Every structure is written in C-alpha cells, then in structure tokens.
C-alpha cells in the first residue's frame, strides 16, 4: 500500500511537465493599406528579454506561432523589389516595404496569454517607393 502511495505521488508530481510546454499558441493577421500583407515575417520578443524570441512567416496576411506568455515587443518585416535592377546581381534588389516603427524601432506591443490566442492583428503602413 505504501509503495502505491509513493508511485501515485510521483505520478502526480510528474503530470505538470507532461501537460504542456508552457508555450502559448498565437495567430492573427497583418494588413497594409487595408489589404493582407502578402508576405513577411513577424517576431515576438519578451520586453524583459529573458526568453527566446519567437517568429513566424506571414503569408497572405496570416501567421501562427508558439511563444512564451507575457508582454512582447512585436516586430514586422516586409520587403519589396526596387524599381532598378541590382547591377551586381542582375535582378531587382529588395528594399524595406514598411517603416522602422514596425521593426527595428517598433512601437508595437502585445500581451500574450497562456493557451490559445487568436485575433492578434496588426496594421502597418507602406513606405513610399524609392525612385
């Protein structure tokens, strides 16, 4: 009987580790000028920088990822071809499609809750095209 109690106690102690990895599932959309952002990347970084950033591809405006819960800085990256070909590469070079306020100097913030969180949506503005 005592052995059964010890085994039961060990099983109960092990359950929290088996029931999940502590990551939240996050999904949402990113739009630019009212349209889904065709492609890009989204990165969620902890505001205290104590956990590893999480990132995901944005495809046709949608993204989905797993990350740690808590307050985050949101960084969104997108590029587009330039109007002039790159003389070295022989093809169109790429330039930023959105401003630094959405990525390197991001002012976007989000709080990620444990479990599933959908509808974490963002709107970005397109940079004027270089001539």
């Amino acid at each position: 009987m005592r052995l059964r109690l010890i085994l039961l106690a060990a099983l109960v102690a092990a359950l929290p580790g088996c029931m999940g990895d502590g990551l939240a599932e996050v999904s949402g959309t990113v739009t630019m000028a009212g349209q889904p952002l065709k492609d890009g990347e989204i990165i969620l970084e902890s505001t205290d920088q104590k956990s590893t950033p999480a990132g995901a591809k944005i495809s046709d405006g949608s993204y989905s990822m797993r990350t740690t819960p808590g307050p985050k800085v949101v960084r969104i990256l997108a590029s587009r071809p330039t109007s002039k070909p790159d003389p070295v590469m022989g093809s169109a070079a790429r330039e930023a499609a959105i401003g630094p306020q959405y990525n390197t100097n991001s002012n976007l913030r989000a709080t990620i809750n444990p479990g599933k969180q959908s509808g974490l949506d963002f709107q970005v503005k397109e940079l004027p095209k270089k001539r």
Side-chain angles (χ1 to χ4, degrees):
M1 181 66 149
R2 184 173 177 163
L3 180 59
R4 285 185 185 173
L5 287 175
I6 292 171
L7 290 173
L8 182 60
L11 179 63
V12 170
L15 281 178
C18 297
M19 296 185 86
D21 55 11
L23 297 178
E25 293 182 36
V26 180
S27 63
T29 59
V30 179
T31 57
M32 181 170 64
Q35 300 296 316
L37 183 64
K38 183 157 179 74
D39 66 295
E41 296 177 35
I42 184 167
I43 300 166
L44 301 179
E45 296 177 355
S46 295
T47 56
D48 64 7
Q49 299 183 350
K50 290 186 178 181
S51 62
T52 303
K57 177 112 175 90
I58 300 167
S59 182
D60 295 322
S62 297
Y63 72 91
S64 179
M65 73 173 81
R66 293 168 48 87
T67 187
T68 54
K72 305 290 182 187
V73 174
V74 180
R75 301 188 191 280
I76 299 173
L77 304 144
S79 65
R80 62 183 175 214
T82 62
S83 58
K84 296 179 183 178
D86 182 315
V88 175
M89 298 298 289
S91 62
R94 309 260 327 152
E95 66 182 7
I98 59 177
Q101 70 270 29
Y102 304 112
N103 41 67
T104 55
N105 299 323
S106 181
N107 56 24
L108 299 174
R109 302 289 184 270
T111 299
I112 307 303
N113 300 315
K116 281 191 174 186
Q117 187 172 347
S118 61
L120 192 61
D121 304 334
F122 300 96
Q123 296 177 353
V124 297
K125 293 182 182 174
E126 186 174 17
L127 283 173
K129 292 187 178 187
K130 295 179 183 177
R131 300 206 184 266

